[in-house]
Amino acid sequence: MSTQSFPVNMAVTPEVTAFFDPATNTISYVVKDPGSNACAVVDSVMDIDYAAGRITYDSADRIIAFIREQGLSLEWLIETHVHADHLSGAPYIQGKLGGRIGIGDRITVVQETFGKIFNEGTEFQRDGSQFDRLFADGDTYSIGGMSCFVLYTPGHTPACMTHVMGNAAFVGDTLFMPDGGSARADFPGGDAGTLYDSIQKVLSLPDDMRLFMCHDYGPNGRDIQWETTVGEEKAHNIHVGGGKTREEFIAFRTARDATLDMPKLIIPSLQVNMRAGQLPPKDESGRTFLKVPINGL
């Protein structure tokens, strides 16, 4: 479906404040409705020292402090997808400030896939019920008086969504900055051809639509960046810009993905994020554990 079918409103300019997490190269956002004090948080982070098995909340606390200092009202905690490289801080922030946690409705596919990989029991619900809202392609919602909508953009994972809020779109891992290219497509349920199609969907938005990345790694030693435009991506993205074909992209992406190591935090991230940011349930002794599936990924 063309994005021309969606309610794009370039006249609305939300205030976007970015929070960069250097441990995971993740950018989280507070997005404020320009007409009210309502806001959303996109792709928050919960900190983990994986070697020590220690969870902390410094990254989430910075966002909470900002929202309180600005006198904002949190309405939504948006997850663009089930992240494999950081743990979500959404339930922690929700516990402090309220709001609803939302993710794409194909979360059920991810839960089914990784529920098997991590040998979760029948008590692990695979229906997305851990989240407050499951978004389908084209669904709309509001942040204060600002109307927002979602685009289904799979390929990196089966549940990836791009959230469009006025003249700002939050693309998750579908795209990186123009000199960073695109995300891998070799996780279970990923597909390079599907990712190319999703990127084209994003690039059919207006050229001056602002695009906000979920990650940046400072390629070639440049400073970390997270904002670009559709026009810049179309012209200069090193993986899909300048008219590169679907076949060229699939060949490149497949070859490159075969050389990549798994993300360092993929094992804890998936177990937590498929639960909407909650840790696995405690065992009979009251302790919480994460599983390591041997040769499972």
Side-chain angles (χ1 to χ4, degrees):
M1 182 184 296
S2 168
T3 57
Q4 294 178 353
S5 306
F6 294 95
V8 176
N9 187 352
M10 297 297 290
V12 175
T13 302
E15 299 174 24
V16 180
T17 304
F19 296 81
F20 177 67
D21 176 49
T24 62
N25 287 82
T26 302
I27 304 99
S28 306
Y29 299 97
V30 174
V31 188
K32 178 186 174 296
D33 168 29
S36 73
N37 287 328
C39 72
V41 170
V42 180
D43 290 335
S44 60
V45 173
M46 177 170 65
D47 306 303
I48 183 171
D49 181 340
Y50 192 28
R54 184 176 298 113
I55 296 289
T56 53
Y57 300 97
D58 291 349
S59 297
D61 283 334
R62 284 194 291 272
I63 291 175
I64 291 168
F66 174 82
I67 290 173
R68 286 174 170 164
E69 288 166 2
Q70 299 298 312
L72 304 181
S73 174
L74 181 59
E75 295 189 350
W76 285 99
L77 296 123
I78 299 298
E79 299 292 335
T80 55
H81 62 293
V82 175
H83 308 278
D85 41 28
H86 72 271
L87 283 66
S88 170
Y92 175 79
I93 297 173
Q94 183 185 51
K96 302 289 186 180
L97 299 176
R100 302 174 68 195
I101 301 175
I103 199 168
D105 61 358
R106 302 298 177 91
I107 178 62
T108 56
V109 177
V110 176
Q111 289 175 329
E112 183 64 29
T113 299
F114 289 102
K116 292 177 181 176
I117 288 174
F118 290 106
N119 195 30
E120 301 292 349
T122 56
E123 68 277 5
F124 172 58
Q125 298 298 310
R126 295 161 170 82
D127 57 2
S129 57
Q130 301 88 343
F131 298 83
D132 300 310
R133 172 77 182 271
L134 302 182
F135 295 107
D137 192 33
D139 276 357
T140 61
Y141 61 101
S142 295
I143 302 169
M146 178 172 60
S147 181
C148 311
F149 68 92
V150 293
L151 299 175
Y152 180 45
T153 50
H156 173 61
T157 80
C160 290
M161 306 292 275
T162 292
H163 286 254
V164 183
M165 307 174 184
N167 69 357
F170 299 84
V171 300
D173 287 3
T174 303
L175 276 170
F176 293 157
M177 293 295 291
D179 60 349
S182 61
R184 65 196 298 164
D186 61 333
F187 293 153
D191 181 81
T194 301
L195 179 59
Y196 181 88
D197 296 339
S198 293
I199 291 171
Q200 299 310 308
K201 194 173 184 179
V202 173
L203 297 185
S204 71
L205 292 164
D207 279 357
D208 52 351
M209 176 72 73
R210 297 184 291 160
L211 299 182
F212 291 90
M213 310 295 110
C214 184
H215 295 286
D216 188 67
Y217 300 93
N220 301 312
R222 68 153 168 77
D223 291 340
I224 298 298
Q225 299 174 6
W226 48 75
E227 180 180 352
T228 184
T229 66
V230 167
E232 284 294 310
E233 292 281 17
K234 284 163 67 174
H236 302 299
N237 186 283
I238 59 173
H239 293 174
V240 296
K244 290 186 176 62
T245 67
R246 192 176 192 270
E247 291 71 25
E248 289 173 326
F249 178 80
I250 292 171
F252 166 82
R253 189 72 265 170
T254 302
R256 180 171 174 78
D257 288 350
T259 71
L260 299 177
D261 293 331
M262 281 291 170
K264 293 179 180 179
L265 294 179
I266 187 170
I267 289 188
S269 295
L270 292 173
Q271 290 176 81
V272 169
N273 295 339
M274 70 181 183
R275 292 179 163 91
Q278 299 285 354
L279 294 170
K282 296 178 179 179
D283 68 4
E284 61 276 3
S285 70
R287 296 182 298 173
T288 300
F289 292 90
L290 293 163
K291 300 174 181 177
V292 178
I294 303 303
N295 297 326
L297 291 174

